[in-house]
Amino acid sequence: MSAHISKLARAGLAGAVLTTGLSAALVTSTGSPADARACHVLADLYHFEGAVTGEHFRYCDPPGVENPLGVTIERRVTSTNWVVVAKGTGGASYQCAGTATRTYRLKGTSRQITVPCS
């Protein structure tokens, strides 16, 4: 599990800040334009090497700081019920015990995956 945002993700977020977020930050800033900063939330959920991993950060630029946010990975039990399988700050992982297909979600986000992991 990555403890921090990858360099590639950071570069993508920095590009997004420059192309889309900076103008919004300037409009909502209470300080001078030099003090303006744009923040983006990065939420990801993926299956890799026998584990379901979630990451959740707020990345603000400038000064290029990432702040870890709460992570809760849930597994679907029924169509309306979910059970927590892992929690953390910034990132969390659930180690798969089998290969039956299950659905997982990153609580509080739109991230959801269905993978061979039970």
Side-chain angles (χ1 to χ4, degrees), residues 1-102:
M1 172 184 63
S2 170
H4 300 286
I5 300 174
S6 70
K7 288 181 183 180
L8 181 60
R10 232 178 261 193
L13 286 172
V17 166
L18 293 175
T19 59
T20 61
L22 191 55
S23 61
L26 291 172
V27 171
T28 60
S29 174
T30 58
S32 69
D35 295 331
R37 67 184 214 166
C39 295
H40 297 275
V41 173
L42 173 68
D44 199 11
L45 183 65
Y46 53 92
H47 180 244
F48 182 70
E49 292 186 357
V52 173
T53 300
E55 297 180 332
H56 200 193
F57 290 90
R58 179 180 300 112
Y59 182 79
C60 296
D61 193 43
V65 175
E66 63 185 36
N67 300 301
L69 300 173
V71 175
T72 301
I73 299 173
E74 296 179 317
R75 179 177 60 217
R76 179 181 284 158
V77 179
T78 66
S79 62
T80 58
N81 292 324
W82 297 79
V83 63
V84 173
V85 295
K87 290 180 91 167
T89 301
S93 283
Y94 169 73
Q95 188 64 41
C96 304
T99 58
T101 300
R102 301 281 189 263

